[in-house]
C-alpha cells in the first residue's frame, strides 16, 4: 500500500483541507469507492481541494504504479485541466518526476488491463499524462459510448451530426437515431488506418495490446465520415482535434 505521507514538498501553495485530503487519499488507497468519488468531486469537479497540494500527485502516482487505474485516470484528468488554465503547466513543472512515473505506469497498465472499457480509460489517462491532446476525453468517451455528437464542420454549420460506431452499425445521421424511426437516413462510415498523430499511436497500441475491437473503432474515427445533410466529408478525429475557443 503506498504511503501518501511521503510526498515531497512542493513550491506551489499547499492550500487548505489537508486533513480531509489526507483522509480521502488514505481511504482511496485502501479501495474505498466513496473516497474516489470524493476525490473526483473535490479535486476535479468542484475545486474545493487543491490539485497542487503536495499530497495529491505523489499519492496518485504511487497508487498508479501499483496498478490502480482510478488513480491514473484522475491524475491524467487533473493534468489536462491544468494544461487548459490561463497559466498552464504549473503541475507538470512542479511535479515533473511524478509525471514521468505516471507516463511509465500508464504504458504498463495499457499492456496489462483486460476489458475494452478499462483499456479505453487507460488510453485516455495516457493521453492526459502525455499532454497536447485536450480532446482526449471526447475521443475516448465516444469510443466508450459508441457514438459522437458533433457539429457539421462545413462553413454553413448545417447542424448536429450523430456518428455511430459499434454493434448498431457504423454510420452518420442527422437525427437522434435512438429516438427516430427505422427509416432514418444513415450514411456509412469509411474506415481508414490512421497514419499520423495520436490516432495512429492509439491504433498501434490497441493492436499490440490485444484489443482489436478498439483498434477497429479507431479506424472509423480516423476514417472518412459524411454529413447526411450537406454531404461534406470529414474525419471525426479532425473535428475533435480542432481548436476550440476558451
Amino acid at each position: 500500500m503506498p504511503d501518501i505521507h511521503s510526498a515531497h514538498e512542493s513550491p506551489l501553495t499547499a492550500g487548505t483541507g489537508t486533513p480531509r485530503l489526507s483522509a480521502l487519499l488514505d481511504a482511496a488507497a485502501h479501495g474505498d469507492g466513496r473516497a474516489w468519488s470524493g476525490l473526483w468531486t473535490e479535486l476535479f469537479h468542484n475545486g474545493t481541494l487543491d490539485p497542487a497540494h503536495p499530497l495529491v500527485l505523489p499519492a496518485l502516482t504511487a497508487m498508479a504504479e501499483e496498478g490502480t487505474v482510478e488513480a491514473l485516470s484522475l491524475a491524467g484528468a487533473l493534468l489536462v485541466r491544468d494544461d487548459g488554465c490561463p497559466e498552464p503547466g504549473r503541475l507538470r513543472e512542479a511535479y515533473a518526476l511524478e509525471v514521468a512515473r505516471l507516463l511509465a505506469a500508464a504504458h504498463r497498465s495499457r499492456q496489462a488491463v483486460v476489458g475494452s472499457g478499462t483499456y479505453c480509460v487507460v488510453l485516455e489517462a495516457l493521453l492526459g499524462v502525455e499532454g497536447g491532446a485536450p480532446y482526449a476525453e471526447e475521443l475516448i468517451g465516444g469510443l466508450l459510448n459508441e457514438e459522437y455528437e458533433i457539429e457539421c464542420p462545413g462553413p454553413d454549420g448545417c447542424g448536429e451530426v450523430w456518428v455511430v460506431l459499434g454493434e448498431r452499425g457504423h454510420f452518420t445521421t442527422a437525427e437522434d437515431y435512438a429516438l427516430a424511426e427505422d427509416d432514418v437516413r444513415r450514411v456509412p462510415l469509411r474506415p481508414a488506418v490512421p497514419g499520423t498523430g495520436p490516432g495512429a499511436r492509439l491504433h498501434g497500441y490497441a493492436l499490440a495490446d490485444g484489443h482489436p475491437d478498439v483498434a477497429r473503432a479507431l479506424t472509423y474515427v480516423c476514417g472518412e465520415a459524411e454529413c447526411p445533410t450537406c454531404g461534406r466529408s470529414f474525419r471525426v478525429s479532425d473535428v475533435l482535434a480542432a481548436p476550440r475557443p476558451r
Side-chain angles (χ1 to χ4, degrees):
M1 194 66 60
D3 179 8
I4 69 166
H5 301 290
S6 64
H8 63 71
E9 290 298 320
S10 167
L12 304 174
T13 176
T16 58
T18 298
R20 173 157 178 76
L21 177 59
S22 180
L24 285 172
L25 289 168
D26 273 327
H30 288 83
D32 188 331
R34 291 176 298 179
W36 281 115
S37 179
L39 287 170
W40 273 98
T41 297
E42 299 197 43
L43 285 170
F44 185 78
H45 296 296
N46 294 345
T48 50
L49 292 174
D50 184 8
H53 191 287
L55 284 179
V56 175
L57 278 182
L60 293 178
T61 299
M63 286 187 272
E65 289 179 324
E66 292 196 345
T68 304
V69 172
E70 193 75 34
L72 185 61
S73 179
L74 179 54
L78 293 175
L79 288 169
V80 169
R81 192 181 65 173
D82 185 68
D83 289 341
C85 289
E87 297 180 3
R90 61 175 190 151
L91 291 183
R92 293 186 186 278
E93 181 179 350
Y95 295 100
L97 175 61
E98 282 76 13
V99 171
R101 289 167 56 195
L102 283 166
L103 185 58
H107 281 294
R108 289 194 299 271
S109 290
R110 72 170 176 80
Q111 296 169 339
V113 299
V114 296
S116 297
T118 304
Y119 184 73
C120 285
V121 171
V122 171
L123 289 185
E124 181 181 346
L126 173 60
L127 290 175
V129 174
E130 285 181 338
Y135 52 89
E137 181 179 3
E138 290 180 90
L139 172 64
I140 302 301
L143 293 179
L144 289 169
N145 297 325
E146 298 187 340
E147 67 178 32
Y148 295 90
E149 184 180 358
I150 61 179
E151 291 290 326
C152 173
D156 296 331
C158 59
E160 291 183 343
V161 178
W162 294 79
V163 182
V164 182
L165 58 159
E167 293 183 358
R168 293 162 292 185
H170 301 79
F171 58 89
T172 59
T173 178
E175 303 179 56
D176 185 344
Y177 62 96
L179 302 176
E181 300 295 332
D182 292 338
D183 61 353
V184 62
R185 181 169 183 254
R186 302 181 178 190
V187 181
L189 300 175
R190 295 182 288 278
V193 175
T196 59
R201 287 191 296 106
L202 296 184
H203 181 263
Y205 292 156
L207 288 177
D209 299 337
H211 294 274
D213 52 339
V214 176
R216 182 169 183 262
L218 284 165
T219 66
Y220 286 98
V221 175
C222 298
E224 193 169 314
E226 180 181 312
C227 175
T229 301
C230 69
R232 181 184 180 88
S233 295
F234 62 90
R235 288 187 176 88
V236 176
S237 55
D238 289 345
V239 175
L240 297 178
R244 316 285 177 86
R246 290 187 178 180

